[in-house]
Amino acid sequence: MSLPTTVKIVEVAARDGLQNEPENIPTAIKLEFMKKLAASGLKTIEATSFVYTPKIPQLADNSQVMQQLDRQPGIKYPVLVPNMTGLNNALKVNAQDIAVFASASESFSKHNINCSIAESIERFTDVINTAKQHNINIRGYISCVMGCPYEGDIELPIVAKLAKTLYELGCYEISLGDTVGVGTPNQATRLIQAVNQHVPIEAIAVHFHDTYGQALTNIYAALQLGVSIVDSSVTGLGGCPYAKGAAGNVATEEVLYMLNGLGIDTGVDFAKLMVAGKFICNHLQRPPVSKLAKAYFATHDM
Ligand code: MG
């Protein structure tokens, strides 16, 4: 067992979180939210998505967000890019960091991005090659790594092969998404071991969902293998896209609390993170998803 000494938290609330919220948030609120996230010490803040906007009206202000965002030095603000149109739109607003995404499930790929896994590889190969010419940093996401809402179990070699493809094409980091949140710790261990056959452990990120309450345990299993990049969403923003009312993204404060307890450095200030969380919950006028945030807000005057 060798836990990492530092962990990079990739904050996904402003994109992955807000795109799963029913209401559209004004651009000014998103900008203020990201300013508060940046003030907490987070160094990677996913900002928006350039997916075809009628599909995700919550993020239809993607260009405005990027144009008006007060980008702090030393902070990356990745944006999701599905295809060449998305990349061109992201380039127009001077995005420096993008994320491409693929699914380890054939059915999910068809439902979510309307193409087979093989077609998605073709699509993101073009995106990655063009982005590289513009010196853009590219992150790769793989969804459904421990289960699919349509297919159930997912074969590990499929995930490992996709991770290898994305890494060899030039993604600096591969984020493994348990989109449905059904994975358990031994499964997480086997998953990371399989991907680590092709991708160095320093380049593997975990993006675990808490739908069945397994996220922190699965993250802990990943840390034990040396994984040092964790995706999370402050207050658990976003919910689960496949189970209404259930938890989705693991909450950043719950990850941070665990990492602090393990003596692992993240550079993130807990109290300042909670200020950002309180700000967005106030705007949404509803309590946070995460138990920790609920307890914290109840006991702190903010
Ligand atoms: Mg997510």
Side-chain angles (χ1 to χ4, degrees):
M1 174 175 134
S2 65
L3 292 172
T5 52
T6 62
V7 159
K8 176 174 80 174
I9 294 179
V10 175
E11 175 58 55
V12 300
R15 194 282 303 173
D16 192 355
L18 292 182
Q19 87 170 51
N20 288 307
E21 288 294 328
E23 66 263 62
N24 294 349
I25 311 295
T27 307
I29 298 289
K30 292 177 184 172
L31 295 170
E32 184 61 28
F33 179 39
M34 284 192 270
K35 195 174 167 185
K36 287 180 159 52
L37 290 171
S40 77
L42 287 159
K43 289 286 176 265
T44 310
I45 300 170
E46 204 172 57
T48 188
S49 163
F50 284 85
V51 170
Y52 181 57
T53 55
K55 228 176 141 184
I56 310 178
Q58 297 93 326
L59 303 182
D61 61 350
N62 45 25
S63 294
Q64 293 92 305
V65 163
M66 290 307 284
Q67 278 162 337
Q68 294 168 32
L69 185 62
D70 182 17
R71 301 183 207 186
Q72 300 296 313
I75 300 186
K76 286 182 172 181
Y77 296 95
V79 299
L80 234 62
V81 163
N83 51 30
M84 286 303 294
T85 308
L87 178 62
N88 289 329
N89 290 334
L91 288 173
K92 273 183 212 155
V93 291
N94 199 24
Q96 297 296 308
D97 298 273
I98 64 162
V100 297
F101 51 96
S103 177
S105 151
E106 204 64 74
S107 322
F108 190 86
S109 188
K110 293 223 171 78
H111 275 89
N112 193 41
I113 47 179
N114 209 19
C115 66
S116 66
I117 296 176
E119 285 162 344
S120 78
I121 293 174
E122 260 174 57
R123 215 182 269 183
F124 62 65
T125 300
D126 288 346
V127 171
I128 290 171
N129 287 336
T130 310
K132 280 200 284 195
Q133 289 163 16
H134 288 83
N135 290 319
I136 303 287
N137 305 307
I138 310 138
R139 184 171 210 249
Y141 270 113
I142 304 176
S143 63
C144 298
V145 295
M146 293 201 275
C148 164
Y150 311 110
E151 289 181 24
D153 291 346
I154 291 296
E155 302 284 335
L156 279 185
I158 296 178
V159 184
K161 197 176 149 211
L162 250 184
K164 180 175 190 273
T165 303
L166 284 163
Y167 188 70
E168 286 176 351
L169 281 169
C171 290
Y172 67 87
E173 202 166 282
I174 309 298
S175 174
L176 303 172
D178 181 14
T179 313
V180 217
V182 291
T184 48
N186 284 353
Q187 219 184 333
T189 300
R190 286 194 296 270
L191 164 75
I192 287 151
Q193 285 168 337
V195 172
N196 192 209
Q197 300 287 313
H198 310 287
V199 178
I201 203 77
E202 302 77 30
I204 298 176
V206 289
H207 184 115
F208 290 162
H209 282 195
D210 205 32
T211 320
Y212 288 175
Q214 303 296 300
L216 277 186
T217 322
N218 292 342
I219 291 169
Y220 188 65
L223 294 174
Q224 286 180 313
L225 295 174
V227 167
S228 61
I229 310 159
V230 178
D231 297 5
S232 59
S233 175
V234 73
T235 71
L237 200 69
C240 176
Y242 305 99
K244 208 168 182 286
N249 293 306
V250 67
T252 307
E253 62 276 13
E254 294 188 343
V255 172
L256 182 59
Y257 185 84
M258 178 176 77
L259 294 174
N260 285 346
L262 292 168
I264 297 172
D265 183 37
T266 60
V268 181
D269 182 283
F270 190 89
K272 287 180 182 168
L273 178 74
M274 295 320 293
V275 170
K278 183 71 178 168
F279 172 80
I280 199 68
C281 287
N282 281 351
H283 181 80
L284 292 165
Q285 295 185 296
R286 60 154 180 72
V289 176
S290 97
K291 286 181 206 158
L292 201 167
K294 265 184 205 135
Y296 188 90
F297 295 160
T299 49
H300 290 73
D301 240 344
M302 305 176 69

